[in-house]
Amino acid sequence: MMELTGRVAVVTGAGRGLGRAHALLLASLGAAVVVNDLGGGLDGSGGSAETAESVVAEITLAGGIAVANADSVATSAGGAEIVGTALREFGRVDIVVNNAGTTGGLVGFGDLDDERLMSVLGSHLIGCFNVSRAAWGPMVAQGYGRIVNTTSGVGLFGMGKGVAYAAAKMGIVGLTRSLAVEGEVSGIKVNAIAPIAATRMAGTVFGALDEHLDPARVSPVVAYLAHADCPVTGRVISVGGGRVGEVFLGAARGYFNADLTPDDVRENFDTALDHTDFVLPLDAMDEVGITATMHGLSGI
Ligand SMILES: NC(=O)c1ccc[n+]([C@@H]2O[C@H](COP(=O)([O-])OP(=O)(O)OC[C@H]3O[C@@H](n4cnc5c(N)ncnc54)[C@H](O)[C@@H]3O)[C@@H](O)[C@H]2O)c1
């Protein structure tokens, strides 16, 4: 059976919904867990330490090890304090699950004011930076780490009235893929989940599917990506209601003409959009390699 005994995990936004389910599972597998949650409203307002503390009480009652933290991930001081709690209380940090965030309410693009935009980018995207940056030094020093970020189908595939949230969530994909490349030499693996679960944030959006979307059906993927056995880095795994499947970014091999003209583009656009012949680049230079091949170069 998979175990995390001796590992120290930080789970952000772990007072409710998905984060709570992740924290409960990681603790039940033996990890010591920092349960972080600002305890605020869905719009990001307010805050209460009780939200994180109630999950710590659940973990402790079940015989697990956990400590609460109520700092916001949206500031670098908050990120440092969240990771600092793990280092102070448990002496190390092996796992960071970046899960916290608020939607700020979904509004049309014309109504997206600065305050709402910064609150959504702050809690999701900047929050991932803040907590991961604080954990990076200790992880590099120990030559080991697992970071599990949380993106969303809204970011990956789009949704009306969700532009700020979608941009934050797709930003997290960029962060995940590039940090994975950087972390490789230090034994740090960085992946992301795109969850689907019935939570406060999701509200009634999933309709009749709700009864199948217990957040606990997402957490097993987080546990595997957080485990030493995790075989991948830089990947995005969609998970919800018991289904698990990778979401991947491909590049069509496309059309090639070294003397490309606008008319040429118009006449051959179907070939450029044809998905039957594609590659799955692992980083940016892999994609540049497609063009290199067409110019007769084998490697760049
Ligand atoms: N529920 C879904 O179907 C779904 C789908 C895609 C992505 N997600 C993502 O999953 C994550 C968890 O969402 P959820 O559905 O469990 O929502 P939720 O609202 O139930 O839980 C989010 C938690 O994050 C906390 N939080 C918010 N801002 C914070 C901050 N600045 N610092 C610390 N804690 C903060 C909140 O207090 C809350 O307890 C989010 O990143 C969300 O965008 C959820």
Side-chain angles (χ1 to χ4, degrees), residues 3 15 44 68 114-115 137 152 194:
E3 268 196 47
D114 285 355
E115 193 185 340
S152 164

Side-chain angles (χ1 to χ4, degrees), residues 16 18 37-38 72-73 99 124 165 169 195 197 199-201:
R16 300 188 182 86
L18 283 157
D37 204 295
L38 184 61
S72 172
V73 299
N99 165 82
H124 292 281
Y165 178 74
K169 288 307 203 185
T199 64
R200 175 182 79 156
M201 185 186 287

Side-chain angles (χ1 to χ4, degrees), residues 5 23 31 38 76 84 134-136 150 154 176-177 190-191 194 200 210 220 228 231 265 280 286:
T5 307
L38 184 61
S76 53
W136 196 251
T150 308
V154 173
T176 300
R177 290 179 67 105
V190 188
N191 292 287
R200 175 182 79 156
D210 257 5
V265 173
L280 298 175
D286 263 1

Side-chain angles (χ1 to χ4, degrees), residues 249-253 277-281 286-287 290:
L249 280 170
R253 209 166 291 277
D277 187 11
F278 67 91
V279 295
L280 298 175
D286 263 1
E287 202 237 353
I290 307 172

Side-chain angles (χ1 to χ4, degrees), residues 72-143:
S72 172
V73 299
T75 66
S76 53
E81 186 49 34
I82 293 164
V83 173
T85 303
L87 299 174
R88 262 195 322 274
E89 297 288 331
F90 305 126
R92 56 187 291 129
V93 59
D94 302 288
I95 298 162
V96 168
V97 181
N98 285 307
N99 165 82
T102 55
T103 61
L106 300 179
V107 294
F109 194 51
D111 295 319
L112 184 62
D113 57 29
D114 285 355
E115 193 185 340
R116 202 182 289 261
L117 176 60
M118 294 324 290
S119 140
V120 174
L121 294 180
S123 65
H124 292 281
L125 179 57
I126 307 299
C128 275
F129 274 94
N130 289 333
V131 182
S132 305
R133 273 194 304 174
W136 196 251
M139 285 181 173
V140 169
Q142 72 198 9

Side-chain angles (χ1 to χ4, degrees), residues 6-28:
R7 297 293 183 195
V8 174
V10 165
V11 184
T12 69
R16 300 188 182 86
L18 283 157
R20 171 181 166 274
H22 305 336
L24 292 176
L25 182 59
L26 297 185
S28 77

